[in-house]
Amino acid sequence: MDDDDQVFRALADPSRRFLLDLLFERDGRTLSELESELEMTRFGVAKHLKVLEEAGLVVTRRSGREKLHFLNPVPIRLIHDRWIDKYTEHHVQALVDLKHALEEEP
């Protein structure tokens, strides 16, 4: 499975997207903090976090006895650049051309 496939697979689940939203709001959360926000077992949250880590969307760091989870937005940006940005570039350029044309009119 390539990197894009892992990211799309990770983003396909609403619970995982919610976890990413929580980490976007405040990075460096523990499993217990994340678990308290979801109606699922600690084991279930840990499994979702593992999928996110494997996709590179979440990175962890140990701080004493705690394992902190952090959002890594780079894989999402790479998906955006590859799959979204190239399809919108034509439309954006058309608006820029229109702006220039309107500004040149007397």
Side-chain angles (χ1 to χ4, degrees), residues 6-41:
Q6 286 187 316
V7 173
F8 280 118
R9 178 177 167 256
L11 293 173
D13 186 274
S15 295
R16 289 192 286 266
R17 291 192 305 268
F18 182 69
L19 286 168
L20 292 175
D21 288 338
L22 291 173
L23 292 173
F24 178 79
E25 290 172 12
R26 186 172 57 80
D27 248 352
R29 294 185 191 223
T30 63
L31 175 59
S32 296
E33 289 175 286
L34 293 168
E35 175 192 5
S36 71
E37 299 284 341
L38 289 163
E39 292 185 18
M40 69 175 61
T41 65

Side-chain angles (χ1 to χ4, degrees), residues 1-105:
M1 186 179 300
D2 74 2
D3 292 343
D4 285 355
D5 290 340
Q6 286 187 316
V7 173
F8 280 118
R9 178 177 167 256
L11 293 173
D13 186 274
S15 295
R16 289 192 286 266
R17 291 192 305 268
F18 182 69
L19 286 168
L20 292 175
D21 288 338
L22 291 173
L23 292 173
F24 178 79
E25 290 172 12
R26 186 172 57 80
D27 248 352
R29 294 185 191 223
T30 63
L31 175 59
S32 296
E33 289 175 286
L34 293 168
E35 175 192 5
S36 71
E37 299 284 341
L38 289 163
E39 292 185 18
M40 69 175 61
T41 65
R42 181 178 184 84
F43 181 72
V45 175
K47 282 179 65 174
H48 283 300
L49 286 170
K50 182 176 186 215
V51 172
L52 292 169
E53 283 183 65
E54 289 172 353
L57 293 165
V58 169
V59 294
T60 60
R61 187 183 80 221
R62 287 244 175 238
S63 177
R65 293 174 50 191
E66 295 182 320
K67 183 178 180 182
L68 304 177
H69 299 83
F70 296 88
L71 174 66
N72 177 19
V74 173
I76 294 173
R77 180 57 194 232
L78 293 173
I79 293 289
H80 174 269
D81 291 349
R82 178 174 178 198
W83 293 102
I84 298 170
D85 200 36
K86 71 180 179 184
Y87 294 108
T88 60
E89 179 60 30
H90 174 72
H91 301 293
V92 172
Q93 187 59 50
L95 291 173
V96 169
D97 293 343
L98 178 61
K99 176 185 181 294
H100 290 296
L102 292 172
E103 289 175 346
E104 291 175 7
E105 289 184 12

